[in-house]
Amino acid sequence: MKWAFLHLTIINKFKFECSLIGMMLRHIISMRDFSRDEIDTILAKAKEFEPIARGKESNLLSGKIIATLFYEPSTRTRLSFETAMKRLGGKVIDLGSIESSSVAKGESLADTIRVIGNYADAIVLRHPREGSARMAAEYSNVPIINAGDGAGHHPTQTLLDLYTIMRESSLSELKIALVGDLKYGRTVHSLAYALSLYHADMTLVSPAQLKMPDVIKKDLKKQGASIRETTNIEDVIGDIDVLYVTRIQKERFPDPAEYQKMAGSYRITEELLKKARDNLIIMHPLPRVDEIDPAVDRTKYARYFQQSFYGVPVRMALLAMAMEAA
Ligand code: CP
């Protein structure tokens, strides 16, 4: 009873804070829709949910159902949403493989969303087409949570990335390098937008062919972001607090031969880390392929597995918020 009361207190306080800062966050589509105050509120809420993410009992979302629709593969995003929902006492329905659903008969995303809104209180959607989550939101009568739209955005990943930085390093006066496939990597697109709100000093490290799209860089500069670009990780390794590494996004290359040329562009090794600051942390949204040597997992710098845990409390905060907004 005491715990149930505590949950009610948390959620009422949360609702109050959301209304206080004018948060109308029915759908979660892009980091560009968030203010810094809104992000700070979510991160603070995630911290309150951490004991539940670690197994403390909760019935906060008892009676609620989310639907997971993944038109692209996922391990972390799908299962951490499922864990978050179940640990909060809610239930999950899953579209399953696309081949076994009516999408295989030609059903449109708009129709699928309209139908699933009859079954669930919120929809977690991953889709290969950029802009699909925003389009789905136009047809949905329940909150849409963007779990990745092609090379577009991955806002819930960004929130857990920020949470990881907050817990394992610091968001203030942050010096960070984003490394790898900055052209197709949706996690770095979303993260760069959010980091500009925290006035982070960002270095973009990528092969010339995989640079951050100009349209994003222009937006970031308009927001006053400090960004530099280099192709050489050695230029920055001794001067950063966070090394955010990404996979080369094989599935987004129109020409497989082009992917082959880019594969293995960067590899984080113990040798490279000899030049790192003592307080450096290494993050990666995962999955990794070969961009971080497994020997690095045992070093004091590695935080990428801890980062995948932080997805649970952050997604708890988002689910609680989305349900209350519904
Ligand atoms: N980080 C991430 O989005 O992982 P999954 O593709 O496994 O969900």
Side-chain angles (χ1 to χ4, degrees), residues 287-299:
R288 72 173 148 184
V289 183
D290 53 10
E291 55 281 355
I292 300 179
D293 186 329
V296 172
D297 301 355
R298 295 189 301 268
T299 68

Side-chain angles (χ1 to χ4, degrees), residues 65-69 91-96 116 119-120 122:
I65 296 175
I66 59 163
T68 49
L69 277 63
K91 291 193 165 59
V92 181
I93 57 172
D94 179 37
L95 184 69
I116 292 176
Y119 309 146

